[in-house]
Amino acid sequence: MADELRARIRSGALRPGQRMPTQAQLAAEFGVERQAVRGALRILQSEHLLTNISKGAPATVAERADRAPAGPAAPPQPTTVALAPRIASAFEAEHVKIDAVCLTAVSLTLAIGEPLRQIYTGRLKPAKVDVRVLLPSRSIDLAFPVPVGGRQGDDDPVHERWLAQRNAQGQVLRHNLMALRATHGIDVRVTFRALPFTPPVKLYLLNNTEALFAYYTVTRSEALIGQESLPTYDAQGVRSMLFAFEQGDGLRDTTFVEQSRLWFNALWETISSELELTD
Protein backbone atom coordinates (compact mmCIF):
# COMPACT_ATOMS: atom_id res chain seq x y z
CA MET A 1 0.00 0.00 0.00
CA ALA A 2 2.81 2.40 0.87
CA ASP A 3 4.47 1.69 -2.50
CA GLU A 4 1.26 2.43 -4.41
CA LEU A 5 0.48 5.62 -2.52
CA ARG A 6 4.10 6.76 -2.86
CA ALA A 7 3.90 6.23 -6.62
CA ARG A 8 0.70 8.30 -6.80
CA ILE A 9 2.38 11.15 -4.94
CA ARG A 10 5.53 10.99 -7.06
CA SER A 11 3.54 10.92 -10.32
CA GLY A 12 1.43 13.92 -9.34
CA ALA A 13 -1.83 11.97 -9.10
CA LEU A 14 -1.84 13.13 -5.46
CA ARG A 15 -0.53 16.69 -5.40
CA PRO A 16 1.26 18.67 -2.64
CA GLY A 17 -1.27 20.15 -0.23
CA GLN A 18 -4.03 17.75 -1.32
CA ARG A 19 -6.00 15.80 1.26
CA MET A 20 -5.55 12.05 1.12
CA PRO A 21 -8.57 9.71 1.08
CA THR A 22 -9.79 8.84 4.54
CA GLN A 23 -8.40 5.79 6.30
CA ALA A 24 -11.78 4.08 5.84
CA GLN A 25 -11.68 4.76 2.09
CA LEU A 26 -8.11 3.46 1.82
CA ALA A 27 -8.99 0.35 3.84
CA ALA A 28 -11.89 -0.35 1.48
CA GLU A 29 -9.84 0.31 -1.66
CA PHE A 30 -6.96 -1.98 -0.67
CA GLY A 31 -9.08 -4.53 1.19
CA VAL A 32 -7.13 -4.27 4.45
CA GLU A 33 -7.74 -3.38 8.08
CA ARG A 34 -7.32 0.19 9.30
CA GLN A 35 -4.22 -0.81 11.26
CA ALA A 36 -2.49 -1.63 7.95
CA VAL A 37 -3.59 1.72 6.53
CA ARG A 38 -2.14 3.59 9.49
CA GLY A 39 1.11 1.66 9.11
CA ALA A 40 1.41 2.63 5.44
CA LEU A 41 0.64 6.27 6.24
CA ARG A 42 3.27 6.33 8.98
CA ILE A 43 5.86 5.01 6.48
CA LEU A 44 5.05 7.86 4.10
CA GLN A 45 5.12 10.36 6.95
CA SER A 46 8.60 9.14 7.90
CA GLU A 47 9.66 9.83 4.30
CA HIS A 48 8.27 13.40 4.61
CA LEU A 49 5.61 12.71 1.99
CA LEU A 50 2.60 13.16 4.30
CA THR A 51 1.70 15.49 7.14
CA ASN A 52 -1.16 15.80 9.63
CA ILE A 53 -1.66 12.09 10.18
CA SER A 54 -4.25 11.55 12.91
CA LYS A 55 -7.32 9.48 13.61
CA GLY A 56 -9.66 12.41 13.16
CA ALA A 57 -8.82 13.78 9.72
CA PRO A 58 -7.27 12.61 6.42
CA ALA A 59 -3.54 13.10 5.99
CA THR A 60 -2.21 15.83 3.71
CA VAL A 61 0.37 15.43 0.96
CA ALA A 62 3.47 17.36 2.01
CA GLU A 63 4.63 20.41 0.08
CA ARG A 64 7.14 19.46 -2.64
CA ALA A 65 6.42 15.78 -1.99
CA ASP A 66 6.46 15.29 -5.76
CA ARG A 67 10.25 15.70 -5.64
CA ALA A 68 12.18 12.52 -4.90
CA PRO A 69 14.85 13.27 -2.28
CA ALA A 70 18.51 13.14 -3.19
CA GLY A 71 21.72 13.43 -1.24
CA PRO A 72 23.05 11.58 1.82
CA ALA A 73 19.65 11.41 3.56
CA ALA A 74 17.80 10.01 0.54
CA PRO A 75 16.81 6.36 0.92
CA PRO A 76 17.44 4.12 -2.11
CA GLN A 77 14.21 3.37 -3.97
CA PRO A 78 13.20 1.09 -6.86
CA THR A 79 13.87 2.62 -10.26
CA THR A 80 10.15 2.60 -11.07
CA VAL A 81 9.52 4.84 -8.03
CA ALA A 82 12.53 7.16 -8.00
CA LEU A 83 13.48 7.85 -11.61
CA ALA A 84 10.40 9.60 -13.05
CA PRO A 85 10.11 12.37 -10.42
CA ARG A 86 13.86 13.09 -10.57
CA ILE A 87 13.75 13.39 -14.36
CA ALA A 88 10.63 15.55 -14.12
CA SER A 89 12.54 17.85 -11.75
CA ALA A 90 15.44 17.95 -14.22
CA PHE A 91 13.00 19.13 -16.92
CA GLU A 92 12.36 22.29 -14.88
CA ALA A 93 15.68 23.60 -16.24
CA GLU A 94 15.73 25.71 -19.40
CA HIS A 95 18.39 23.43 -20.91
CA VAL A 96 17.79 19.79 -19.94
CA LYS A 97 20.77 17.42 -20.15
CA ILE A 98 20.31 13.69 -19.54
CA ASP A 99 23.05 11.08 -19.96
CA ALA A 100 22.33 7.39 -19.39
CA VAL A 101 24.17 4.07 -19.37
CA CYS A 102 21.77 1.14 -19.40
CA LEU A 103 20.93 -2.23 -20.92
CA THR A 104 17.74 -1.47 -22.87
CA ALA A 105 16.49 2.05 -21.93
CA VAL A 106 13.18 0.62 -20.67
CA SER A 107 13.31 2.51 -17.36
CA LEU A 108 14.36 5.76 -19.04
CA THR A 109 11.60 5.54 -21.65
CA LEU A 110 8.99 4.96 -18.94
CA ALA A 111 10.33 7.76 -16.75
CA ILE A 112 10.36 10.31 -19.58
CA GLY A 113 6.59 9.93 -19.79
CA GLU A 114 6.07 12.02 -16.63
CA PRO A 115 7.89 15.20 -17.78
CA LEU A 116 6.32 14.81 -21.24
CA ARG A 117 2.90 14.80 -19.60
CA GLN A 118 3.81 17.95 -17.68
CA ILE A 119 5.06 19.65 -20.83
CA TYR A 120 1.81 18.90 -22.65
CA THR A 121 -0.23 20.24 -19.71
CA GLY A 122 1.87 23.41 -19.63
CA ARG A 123 3.56 22.80 -16.24
CA LEU A 124 7.05 22.46 -17.76
CA LYS A 125 8.55 24.57 -20.57
CA PRO A 126 12.20 23.71 -21.31
CA ALA A 127 13.79 25.44 -24.29
CA LYS A 128 16.32 22.72 -25.12
CA VAL A 129 16.69 18.99 -24.38
CA ASP A 130 19.87 16.96 -24.95
CA VAL A 131 19.76 13.22 -24.27
CA ARG A 132 22.72 10.86 -24.73
CA VAL A 133 22.34 7.12 -24.15
CA LEU A 134 25.00 4.40 -24.06
CA LEU A 135 23.68 0.89 -24.82
CA PRO A 136 25.45 -2.43 -25.46
CA SER A 137 26.44 -3.14 -29.03
CA ARG A 138 24.42 -5.76 -30.90
CA SER A 139 27.61 -7.50 -32.05
CA ILE A 140 29.02 -8.46 -28.64
CA ASP A 141 28.42 -11.59 -26.58
CA LEU A 142 26.33 -10.21 -23.74
CA ALA A 143 27.06 -11.27 -20.17
CA PHE A 144 23.28 -11.14 -19.64
CA PRO A 145 20.61 -11.88 -20.68
CA VAL A 146 21.86 -15.29 -21.77
CA PRO A 147 20.42 -18.81 -21.86
CA VAL A 148 21.32 -20.98 -18.90
CA GLY A 149 24.01 -23.31 -20.23
CA GLY A 150 25.16 -20.84 -22.88
CA ARG A 151 24.33 -20.42 -26.55
CA GLN A 152 23.50 -23.46 -28.65
CA GLY A 153 24.99 -22.82 -32.09
CA ASP A 154 24.52 -19.57 -33.97
CA ASP A 155 20.83 -19.20 -33.12
CA ASP A 156 20.29 -17.23 -29.90
CA PRO A 157 16.64 -16.26 -29.35
CA VAL A 158 17.48 -14.65 -25.99
CA HIS A 159 19.94 -12.26 -27.66
CA GLU A 160 17.47 -11.51 -30.44
CA ARG A 161 14.73 -10.71 -27.93
CA TRP A 162 17.08 -8.34 -26.05
CA LEU A 163 18.09 -6.68 -29.32
CA ALA A 164 14.47 -6.16 -30.35
CA GLN A 165 13.70 -4.64 -26.96
CA ARG A 166 16.78 -2.39 -27.04
CA ASN A 167 15.85 -1.09 -30.48
CA ALA A 168 12.14 -0.67 -29.74
CA GLN A 169 12.66 1.20 -26.47
CA GLY A 170 15.30 3.46 -27.99
CA GLN A 171 13.08 4.27 -30.95
CA VAL A 172 10.12 5.09 -28.70
CA LEU A 173 12.31 7.29 -26.50
CA ARG A 174 13.66 9.19 -29.49
CA HIS A 175 10.24 9.52 -31.16
CA ASN A 176 8.52 10.84 -28.02
CA LEU A 177 11.22 13.42 -27.36
CA MET A 178 11.64 14.53 -30.96
CA ALA A 179 7.88 15.11 -31.17
CA LEU A 180 8.41 18.09 -28.84
CA ARG A 181 10.02 19.92 -31.76
CA ALA A 182 6.77 19.97 -33.72
CA THR A 183 4.35 20.37 -30.82
CA HIS A 184 6.19 22.87 -28.61
CA GLY A 185 9.13 24.20 -30.62
CA ILE A 186 11.66 22.72 -28.20
CA ASP A 187 15.19 22.18 -29.51
CA VAL A 188 15.69 18.43 -28.99
CA ARG A 189 18.67 16.19 -29.67
CA VAL A 190 18.70 12.46 -28.85
CA THR A 191 21.88 10.46 -29.54
CA PHE A 192 22.77 6.81 -28.97
CA ARG A 193 26.17 5.13 -28.97
CA ALA A 194 27.15 1.47 -28.57
CA LEU A 195 29.31 0.00 -25.82
CA PRO A 196 31.64 -2.97 -26.42
CA PHE A 197 30.61 -4.54 -23.09
CA THR A 198 27.56 -5.34 -20.97
CA PRO A 199 27.13 -2.62 -18.32
CA PRO A 200 26.88 -4.22 -14.84
CA VAL A 201 25.25 -1.03 -13.52
CA LYS A 202 22.86 1.63 -14.74
CA LEU A 203 23.64 5.32 -14.41
CA TYR A 204 21.60 8.44 -15.09
CA LEU A 205 23.20 11.90 -15.04
CA LEU A 206 20.75 14.80 -14.82
CA ASN A 207 21.82 18.32 -15.80
CA ASN A 208 25.41 17.49 -14.76
CA THR A 209 24.38 18.02 -11.12
CA GLU A 210 22.77 14.72 -10.11
CA ALA A 211 23.73 11.07 -10.52
CA LEU A 212 21.34 8.16 -10.07
CA PHE A 213 23.07 4.79 -9.78
CA ALA A 214 21.81 1.19 -9.56
CA TYR A 215 23.23 -2.32 -9.82
CA TYR A 216 21.93 -4.86 -12.30
CA THR A 217 21.44 -7.96 -10.16
CA VAL A 218 21.52 -11.10 -12.30
CA THR A 219 19.12 -13.90 -11.39
CA ARG A 220 17.88 -17.08 -12.98
CA SER A 221 14.48 -16.63 -14.60
CA GLU A 222 12.23 -18.03 -17.32
CA ALA A 223 11.86 -16.22 -20.63
CA LEU A 224 8.84 -16.94 -22.81
CA ILE A 225 10.04 -16.71 -26.40
CA GLY A 226 7.41 -17.68 -28.90
CA GLN A 227 5.77 -20.79 -27.46
CA GLU A 228 8.89 -21.91 -25.62
CA SER A 229 9.95 -21.14 -22.06
CA LEU A 230 13.72 -20.83 -21.77
CA PRO A 231 15.74 -20.66 -18.53
CA THR A 232 17.93 -17.56 -18.61
CA TYR A 233 20.26 -15.44 -16.54
CA ASP A 234 18.88 -11.91 -16.66
CA ALA A 235 18.42 -8.73 -14.63
CA GLN A 236 15.25 -6.72 -14.08
CA GLY A 237 16.50 -3.16 -14.27
CA VAL A 238 13.14 -1.56 -13.46
CA ARG A 239 13.33 -3.18 -10.01
CA SER A 240 16.91 -2.13 -9.28
CA MET A 241 17.35 0.05 -6.20
CA LEU A 242 18.37 3.54 -7.30
CA PHE A 243 20.86 5.53 -5.20
CA ALA A 244 20.73 9.32 -5.62
CA PHE A 245 23.75 11.65 -5.40
CA GLU A 246 23.49 15.40 -5.81
CA GLN A 247 26.25 17.95 -6.35
CA GLY A 248 26.57 20.25 -3.36
CA ASP A 249 25.31 17.70 -0.81
CA GLY A 250 28.72 17.19 0.76
CA LEU A 251 32.07 16.07 -0.58
CA ARG A 252 30.98 12.44 -1.11
CA ASP A 253 28.01 13.30 -3.32
CA THR A 254 29.79 16.07 -5.22
CA THR A 255 32.75 13.83 -5.99
CA PHE A 256 30.51 10.95 -7.07
CA VAL A 257 28.63 13.19 -9.52
CA GLU A 258 31.86 14.62 -10.94
CA GLN A 259 33.51 11.21 -11.33
CA SER A 260 30.36 9.74 -12.88
CA ARG A 261 30.30 12.54 -15.43
CA LEU A 262 33.98 11.98 -16.25
CA TRP A 263 33.38 8.21 -16.59
CA PHE A 264 30.42 8.70 -18.93
CA ASN A 265 32.21 11.23 -21.13
CA ALA A 266 35.28 9.00 -21.35
CA LEU A 267 33.18 6.08 -22.59
CA TRP A 268 31.27 8.31 -25.01
CA GLU A 269 34.38 9.84 -26.52
CA THR A 270 36.67 6.78 -26.68
CA ILE A 271 35.53 3.15 -26.93
CA SER A 272 31.84 3.63 -27.84
CA SER A 273 30.77 3.52 -31.49
CA GLU A 274 27.94 4.59 -33.79
CA LEU A 275 24.61 2.96 -32.93
CA GLU A 276 21.68 2.56 -35.30
CA LEU A 277 18.47 1.31 -33.70
CA THR A 278 17.65 -1.06 -36.53
CA ASP A 279 17.52 -4.82 -36.98
Side-chain angles (χ1 to χ4, degrees):
M1 185 189 306
D3 289 342
E4 172 60 26
L5 295 176
R6 185 188 300 109
R8 293 180 190 179
I9 294 170
R10 297 296 193 208
S11 69
L14 292 169
R15 299 187 180 281
Q18 180 179 342
R19 286 289 185 92
M20 294 284 289
T22 66
Q23 293 184 16
Q25 290 171 328
L26 290 172
E29 177 184 354
F30 289 94
V32 298
E33 299 294 331
R34 293 236 191 146
Q35 183 178 358
V37 174
R38 287 192 289 270
L41 296 179
R42 282 195 293 269
I43 290 173
L44 298 180
Q45 184 182 42
S46 71
E47 297 174 0
H48 307 292
L49 297 179
L50 295 180
T51 60
N52 302 330
I53 293 179
S54 68
K55 293 182 180 180
T60 302
V61 180
E63 294 298 329
R64 304 313 298 160
D66 52 339
R67 290 181 181 268
Q77 295 179 312
T79 300
T80 50
V81 174
L83 186 57
R86 293 314 311 158
I87 288 184
S89 294
F91 267 75
E92 294 176 2
E94 183 175 3
H95 184 185
V96 181
K97 298 179 182 179
I98 297 176
D99 295 332
V101 181
C102 42
L103 189 64
T104 62
V106 170
S107 297
L108 181 59
T109 302
L110 291 172
I112 286 289
E114 175 59 20
L116 290 180
R117 182 185 68 81
Q118 295 191 33
I119 288 172
Y120 281 102
T121 58
R123 292 185 64 195
L124 295 175
K125 297 180 180 179
K128 186 175 182 180
V129 177
D130 281 315
V131 176
R132 301 188 297 174
V133 185
L134 286 168
L135 297 167
S137 168
R138 63 171 297 168
S139 61
I140 64 173
D141 290 332
L142 291 174
F144 60 90
V146 292
V148 173
R151 299 175 59 179
Q152 303 297 322
D154 294 332
D155 184 35
D156 186 352
V158 175
H159 185 89
E160 291 304 313
R161 187 187 69 157
W162 163 81
L163 180 61
Q165 187 178 51
R166 185 205 72 172
N167 291 346
Q169 293 297 327
Q171 289 166 359
V172 169
L173 177 66
R174 180 167 57 194
H175 172 79
N176 290 346
L177 286 169
M178 295 302 293
L180 296 175
R181 283 179 173 269
T183 59
H184 291 74
I186 298 173
D187 182 8
V188 179
R189 181 172 58 182
V190 184
T191 313
F192 298 88
R193 287 185 68 81
L195 290 170
F197 62 88
T198 309
V201 299
K202 55 166 53 179
L203 175 71
Y204 307 97
L205 295 167
L206 310 181
N207 294 339
N208 290 328
T209 61
E210 189 172 357
L212 305 173
F213 173 91
Y215 294 101
Y216 282 116
T217 302
V218 180
T219 60
R220 180 168 175 148
S221 59
E222 295 290 324
L224 183 61
I225 300 178
Q227 301 299 316
E228 186 178 4
S229 181
L230 296 177
T232 64
Y233 292 123
D234 200 355
Q236 295 295 321
V238 294
R239 301 175 186 172
S240 299
M241 297 298 288
L242 209 59
F243 295 81
F245 301 84
E246 193 164 4
Q247 200 163 37
D249 278 337
L251 180 61
R252 183 201 71 146
D253 281 52
T254 296
T255 303
F256 187 89
V257 173
E258 292 174 350
Q259 291 299 308
S260 295
R261 187 169 66 247
L262 290 172
W263 181 70
F264 181 93
N265 286 333
L267 293 176
W268 187 270
E269 296 166 2
T270 58
I271 61 175
S272 65
S273 58
E274 296 283 339
L275 172 61
E276 293 294 332
L277 296 170
T278 57
D279 294 333

